[in-house]
Amino acid sequence: MAATIYDSEITKSDKYSILLPTYNERENLPIIIWLIMKYLDNSGYDFEVIIIDDGSPDGTLDVAKQLQNIYGSSKILLRPREKKLGLGTAYVHGMKHATGNFIIIMDSDLSHHPKFIPQFIELQQEQDYDLVSGTRYKDGGGVYGWDFKRKLISRGANFITQLLLRPGASDLTGSFRLYKKDVLQKLIDSCVSKGYVFQMEMIIRARQFEFTIGEVPITFVDRVYGESKLGGSEIVQFAKALLYLFATT
Amino acid sequence: MTKLLEWVSVLSAMFAVWYSLIGGYVKHPLIEKNINLILISPLIFIALFGLYAVTVVLYRVFTFNNCEEAAKELQNEIAEARKDLLDKGLKF
Ligand SMILES: Nc1nc2c(ncn2[C@@H]2O[C@H](COP(=O)(O)OP(=O)(O)OP(=O)(O)O)[C@@H](O)[C@H]2O)c(=O)[nH]1
Ligand SMILES: [Mg+2]
């Protein structure tokens, strides 16, 4: 995207808003916050963490409040919602309250490690990328805790998607990414799918708008606490989204 | 142009070439000699591509990096974090 004349002045006051959607992440939330502080507090980057909890019955919000007391309400912002309204709208909701000019999206289940955030930021700055995506599929990246079947599904789906859509990014369903705020806004506005395939549509739309995409290899450690929900319905959802994007973009 | 249209146009161009060869629209002794091979060439092409796809996917499955190190590091950091947060007064 064309750079505006203000870009060079704004970089001095870059701010990163980290959106953390949570649903039943009582165990994970304190750890992820602690890790974010560990890797960002001394980095000199200006940042805030926005926790969007959807009325988790396990009391995630209560833990979030304690964390806010510990780390301060300028670093930790709580923007809860009454009930579970889904991941896509959680991002929209969080972004409305974000004061940064960059948005970082990540899962709060510890599968996305905050140690990669400084790498995302550095890469973005080097090339002025519109978005930087974490990737499990490139050298240096990888997964932990996946059996043969899950790897096969993942690699197979990725192969077919690369073949049909040529997206210009290697990890389409991952959701550990850094966006320029206006870029994310535009992508969200143009996306129609719901659920987890939303991540895939976002990156395909990014290609459509000719946004520039950088990639950082990440190690993805499957959630330690809580349950995973990967099932047959996800595969069907994925296939539908793939065909839809194949025919329309 | 959508990806679907791109595929349709490339595939129909290939089909047109193939059809003109088997339909006898282009005459050449080489074509007549190899007509059987040309007839089944789409099948050969699909089979080879299938083989390529299976090989690539399986290769990537078996070389998919297992992040043992990262998992261990995370376990240590979780322990450290819990301790530090307890000290800071967090009730888990
Ligand atoms: N606010 C909000 N957060 C959600 C909702 N659904 C999921 N999340 C959070 O979004 C992130 C990703 O969800 P996950 O359940 O980990 O989904 P996944 O990574 O595709 O699947 P697994 O990790 O295998 O379970 C986590 O941080 C969840 O807590 C929701 O409806 N509302
Ligand atoms: Mg997860």
Side-chain angles (χ1 to χ4, degrees):
Chain A
M1 216 174 65
T4 68
I5 44 171
Y6 298 110
D7 270 2
S8 56
E9 284 145 51
I10 288 172
T11 44
K12 284 186 211 88
S13 55
D14 279 340
K15 183 167 181 182
Y16 299 87
S17 299
I18 302 171
L19 304 189
L20 278 186
T22 58
Y23 190 74
N24 286 347
E25 303 287 6
R26 186 188 173 90
E27 301 272 355
N28 292 317
L29 187 62
I31 317 286
I32 191 96
I33 296 289
W34 187 86
L35 288 169
I36 289 174
M37 296 302 165
K38 173 174 173 183
Y39 289 95
L40 284 184
D41 232 5
N42 299 319
S43 66
Y45 298 123
D46 190 13
F47 72 97
E48 65 187 0
V49 182
I50 302 177
I51 300 172
I52 306 118
D53 185 63
D54 275 3
S56 304
D58 75 343
T60 305
L61 187 58
D62 171 58
V63 176
K65 281 178 185 152
Q66 293 186 52
L67 289 162
Q68 192 181 39
N69 288 335
I70 293 173
Y71 290 108
S73 51
S74 65
K75 281 274 181 299
I76 311 264
L77 286 72
L78 308 182
R79 296 292 177 263
R81 299 187 297 180
E82 286 294 308
K83 57 175 198 281
K84 193 172 187 333
L85 295 169
L87 204 46
T89 58
Y91 294 137
V92 178
H93 179 76
M95 203 161 64
K96 265 190 240 146
H97 303 280
T99 62
N101 54 330
F102 287 96
I103 308 280
I104 293 165
I105 284 178
M106 65 191 297
D107 291 354
S108 51
D109 60 1
L110 300 179
S111 47
H112 297 154
H113 199 297
K115 71 183 169 194
F116 296 110
I117 294 176
Q119 296 179 30
F120 280 42
I121 295 176
E122 277 158 35
L123 184 67
Q124 192 288 322
Q125 289 178 341
E126 262 166 42
Q127 308 279 337
D128 192 32
Y129 284 122
D130 294 316
L131 78 95
V132 173
S133 175
T135 176
R136 295 161 286 185
Y137 301 110
K138 279 206 169 153
D139 267 354
V143 293
Y144 177 81
W146 285 19
D147 59 6
F148 176 81
K149 187 179 155 209
R150 182 135 182 227
K151 283 181 176 174
L152 184 65
I153 292 172
S154 170
R155 284 298 198 180
N158 193 259
F159 182 87
I160 294 170
T161 314
Q162 295 293 338
L163 181 70
L164 294 185
L165 300 180
R166 275 173 286 126
S170 57
D171 195 337
L172 304 178
T173 49
S175 49
F176 192 3
R177 294 179 187 154
L178 179 154
Y179 297 86
K180 288 180 179 168
K181 188 177 184 181
D182 51 337
V183 167
L184 180 59
Q185 186 67 59
K186 193 166 171 194
L187 290 175
I188 286 181
D189 289 345
S190 62
C191 279
V192 294
S193 53
K194 297 272 171 292
Y196 99 119
V197 287
F198 168 79
Q199 302 297 348
M200 172 159 84
E201 181 171 358
M202 294 262 275
I203 210 124
I204 299 296
R205 300 278 174 213
R207 180 207 65 200
Q208 223 182 3
F209 291 131
E210 297 183 1
F211 289 137
T212 53
I213 303 174
E215 292 194 297
V216 171
I218 58 160
T219 53
F220 181 99
V221 178
D222 226 1
R223 61 162 63 248
V224 187
Y225 303 106
E227 304 175 22
S228 171
K229 308 155 204 80
L230 187 88
S233 74
E234 246 114 1
I235 297 173
V236 174
Q237 258 186 55
F238 174 83
K240 274 190 192 156
L242 180 62
L243 290 180
Y244 170 75
L245 292 170
F246 181 60
T248 58
T249 68
Chain B
M1 189 150 78
T2 67
K3 292 288 163 201
L4 176 63
L5 282 178
E6 279 178 33
W7 275 77
V8 168
S9 46
V10 170
L11 287 179
S12 35
M14 284 162 71
F15 178 80
V17 171
W18 178 74
Y19 194 75
S20 66
L21 292 180
I22 59 156
Y25 299 100
V26 196
K27 293 219 186 311
H28 193 279
L30 265 181
I31 297 174
E32 275 147 43
K33 228 171 78 191
N34 295 308
I35 191 70
N36 283 333
L37 191 64
I38 294 172
L39 260 176
I40 58 162
S41 62
L43 287 178
I44 297 177
F45 188 76
I46 291 170
L48 284 179
F49 184 77
L51 203 65
Y52 163 78
V54 169
T55 314
V56 167
V57 169
L58 282 181
Y59 175 78
R60 288 179 182 164
V61 169
F62 288 114
T63 56
F64 212 158
N65 190 10
N66 269 317
C67 319
E68 307 283 345
E69 285 295 304
K72 222 176 287 161
E73 184 193 327
L74 181 62
Q75 283 307 328
N76 292 336
E77 281 181 317
I78 288 175
E80 202 186 330
R82 291 184 78 92
K83 199 164 153 283
D84 187 43
L85 285 166
L86 278 175
D87 289 347
K88 289 192 161 85
L90 185 87
K91 290 185 201 70
F92 277 90

